[in-house]
Amino acid sequence: KPVFFKRGDKEPQNFDLIAKYNIPVVEGKDMDELVQNFEDVIAKYPEVKSVEKFDITQIKSEIDATLKKFEMIKPALDYKF
C-alpha cells in the first residue's frame, strides 16, 4: 500500500500521477506531525487505482541513455545488503 511522503524542501515531480492513482500524501512540519499524519492515513487507507499498462517503446532509448549515464555508480564497499 503506497504512501507518498512529501518533503517540505522539494517540489514533487509528476504529482498529477500520485493524484491520478489516489495515492495518499503525507507531510508535516515536524517529525511528530509527519508520524501522526502517516498513522492517520494507514488507519483509514483509501482505495488506490491500479496502474495502467503502457508501451515504453517510444521512451526506451531515453531510459537506456539514463541508465548508461549512471552505470558507473556502485554501492560502497561497506554497504550491507
Side-chain angles (χ1 to χ4, degrees):
K1 295 184 176 181
V3 175
F4 182 80
F5 287 91
K6 185 176 178 193
R7 290 177 48 170
D9 63 333
K10 300 218 180 228
E11 195 57 39
Q13 296 178 354
N14 302 319
F15 202 70
D16 55 331
L17 283 175
I18 294 167
K20 177 181 179 179
Y21 293 108
N22 201 32
I23 295 172
V25 177
V26 175
E27 58 186 316
K29 65 180 184 288
D30 57 32
M31 187 58 89
D32 290 335
E33 184 178 17
L34 183 69
V35 169
Q36 183 58 54
N37 292 341
F38 176 73
E39 288 177 356
D40 292 345
V41 164
I42 62 173
K44 51 185 188 306
Y45 193 81
E47 175 110 10
V48 296
K49 296 179 183 175
S50 296
V51 175
E52 300 167 4
K53 293 181 180 180
F54 60 93
D55 182 10
I56 66 164
T57 305
Q58 294 179 341
I59 62 169
K60 185 178 182 310
S61 60
E62 183 179 341
I63 293 169
D64 288 342
T66 301
L67 291 174
K68 181 137 183 83
K69 181 179 174 182
F70 294 103
E71 70 183 352
M72 74 295 210
I73 297 175
K74 307 285 185 218
L77 294 175
D78 60 347
Y79 181 79
K80 307 241 189 288
F81 290 96

